[in-house]
Amino acid sequence: MLERIQRLGAFGLSFCERLGVSAVLLARVIVRRPRFVKALPLLVEQLYMVGVLSLVIIVISGLFIGMVLALQGYNILDKFGATVQLGQLVALSVVRELGPVITALLFAGRAGSALTAELGLMQATEQISSMEMMAVDPLWRIVSPRFWAGLISMPLLTVIFMITAVYGGYLVGVGWLGLDPGQFWANMQSSVDLHKDIMNGVIKSGVFGFVVTWISVYQGYYAVPTSAGIARATTKTVVYSSLAILGLDFILTSFMLGGW
Amino acid sequence: MNDDIIKINGLKFFRADKVIFDGVDLNIKRGKITAIMGPSGSGKTTLLKLIGAQLYPEQGGVLFNGINIHKLSRKELYKTRRSMGLMFQSGALFTNLSVFENVAFPLREHTELPEDMIRDLVLMQLEAVGLRGARDLMPSELSGGMARRVALARTLIKDPKLMMYDEPFTGQDPITMGVLMRLIKNANDVLKLTSIIVSHDVAETASIADYIYIIANGKIVGHGEPDAVMQDNSPWVDQFVHGLPDGAMPFHYPAKNYYEDLLNA
Amino acid sequence: MQNKRIVEIMVGFFILVAIVAMFLLAFKVSGFTDFSANHTIKISAEFDNIGDLRVRAPVKVAGVRIGEVSDIVLDRNSYRALVTMLISGDDKIPTDSSASILSESLLGSNYIAIMPGFDTTFMRNGDKLGETNSAIILENLIGQAIFKPKDEKGEKSNV
């Protein structure tokens, strides 16, 4: 019994330690003198790696999720004779919940795991170590641009996801199921609020982007530099990010519905 | 100026519960090539990382030009590191940059030189290691020996005062080994560097080193000029330089009695 | 360096697409119209019961949207709801107009409908509409429908 309590304590301590280490890493990445002239090309490169390369998967998933949502929603709304509300249903579910959450989950799987694997491999092949010996701070040169790129890309990707999903819903609702396009848009417009719905969705995605890149960067930077260690770190990135996204989504939603 | 660029005294370092260094004292003479040799796992690479302050010792200190490198602030440390170069065993080239960009990297990070000047300097360095024609290759397209030569060029371009080589000869064919030996020797003499070579290739290292330290079990077990070390007949040194399978360094990993172990199965 | 150019173009394209998406979301999906610009006037009206009316609900004349509800507060003296509306300054509302709270559909949300009067003077910024009709509360209607026959019977038996 005592042994189990001890194990719990040891787990708690190591958890706190890891949290502390990651917070220090984060602070060291964020709090530094900006060197825009040299940092900008690095940031652009990472925006490409993190943002542009995730674009295809985001657009395709957005399109299909919007389409399937319209199809399912139509069948349910049809029972109440309220199919004119389809636009509202699709837009609200995408803008408030599905947009930020699914984009973040895809982002964790596509960009987060790549980030972790890349940093872990750099650690394993002593690239980070050799950079330190060249008197170049790897946090500045390697970690920081990746972190900011993730933070910037997430809301952009989310916005793109949202609009593709809405048009996916439009495609099915109007093009296939034969709803009136005017009603589709008008009902959507009368119920979706720019600040309450869209902005909150974008804020959520910003928070998710922050957490996912933080986890990926931490897991990669402190990965055990062996192939098994990197594999484990990549898995952890995806698992922890997904859990964090879903948990945070609940907390943020309850705050937002509670009107802050 | 002191004659010793590096002074290490009473260095103790543990990893987990294992003792890596248990009171190491050694001095590196300015302008000479000093070799640090020892069996695998004796912590030679760790020693280089301690000198570069990537690791911090439990006890004792490393004085670089009379300054304790482990007491420096982060900023001062980075400044001091600019006068040090460390060539890693694998070369540790940046895999996402071409050979040219790898060599140009320290210049781009530390200086504001115009592009054509960077180009000239990089090409000069690549010419010195004989790889000017390979400038557009990616690190994955290089052989191990070429990667080390590029790494050498990259380390030398920022004009260090102290060069450290981590296992530069390991796993290389005789030709590449000869090339690397010549390059290291030339770099030291022409550029007036101080070099530290960590290695366990006895013959090659001894032929270019001015002074040799032999480490085993976390201690210095022998040191001297190459000829003296080769003649040394203290058990550790004798076993190491002549490659005897059993001796002061036991063939068996510590274990309990063989028969007892078998019978207890 | 050709490669670098492509990367930069792609990133620029990415950011551009995101901005376009944001505009589409704002105007196409949320139907965002800026009633808070200086081209609007603020008028108010008091209601006995506002039902489900929310801030940002539309204000319509003859079914055409001309503004939105900007604020709802309770008047602590009269216990009536004071609703403030922002409406476009181009639309002139006669001073004897009346405001009612209606539903968009049986289960839809509430909005304010303004029935224009015949006066030749128009509402100015800060004016208050005198005549109002409260929201029709579905429960009250159902209650009336259920209890009316009973009451009639009761009256009959009394008589």
Side-chain angles (χ1 to χ4, degrees), chain A residues 28 32-33 35 38 42 45-46 118 122 125-142 146, chain B residues 49 52 54 74 78 81-82 84 86 88-90 92-97 105-106 108-112 154 158 164 166:
Chain A
R28 278 172 57 193
R32 55 192 45 245
R33 194 162 39 93
R35 288 162 54 187
K38 279 187 179 174
L42 297 175
E45 195 187 325
Q46 288 309 315
E118 191 188 13
M122 280 185 155
T125 52
E126 293 180 314
Q127 291 183 48
I128 288 181
S129 198
S130 89
M131 200 173 275
E132 273 181 17
M133 283 311 295
M134 275 184 243
V136 177
D137 188 349
L139 287 180
W140 178 81
R141 182 60 174 69
I142 299 184
R146 282 165 176 74
Chain B
K49 290 199 168 173
Q54 288 196 315
R74 209 180 152 67
Y78 270 87
R81 273 189 191 156
R82 289 197 194 189
M84 289 183 184
L86 172 57
F88 285 84
Q89 186 172 358
S90 60
L93 299 177
F94 303 128
T95 41
N96 57 343
L97 298 177
F105 183 84
R108 291 202 199 283
E109 289 301 319
H110 291 307
T111 64
E112 305 286 344
R154 184 180 67 176
K158 66 188 182 120
M164 297 183 269
D166 187 5

Side-chain angles (χ1 to χ4, degrees), chain A residues 48-71:
Chain A
Y48 178 79
M49 304 293 285
V50 172
V52 176
L53 294 184
S54 307
L55 210 51
V56 174
I57 189 172
I58 293 290
V59 167
I60 292 178
S61 338
L63 198 65
F64 277 99
I65 282 170
M67 281 160 65
V68 103
L69 208 58
L71 208 53

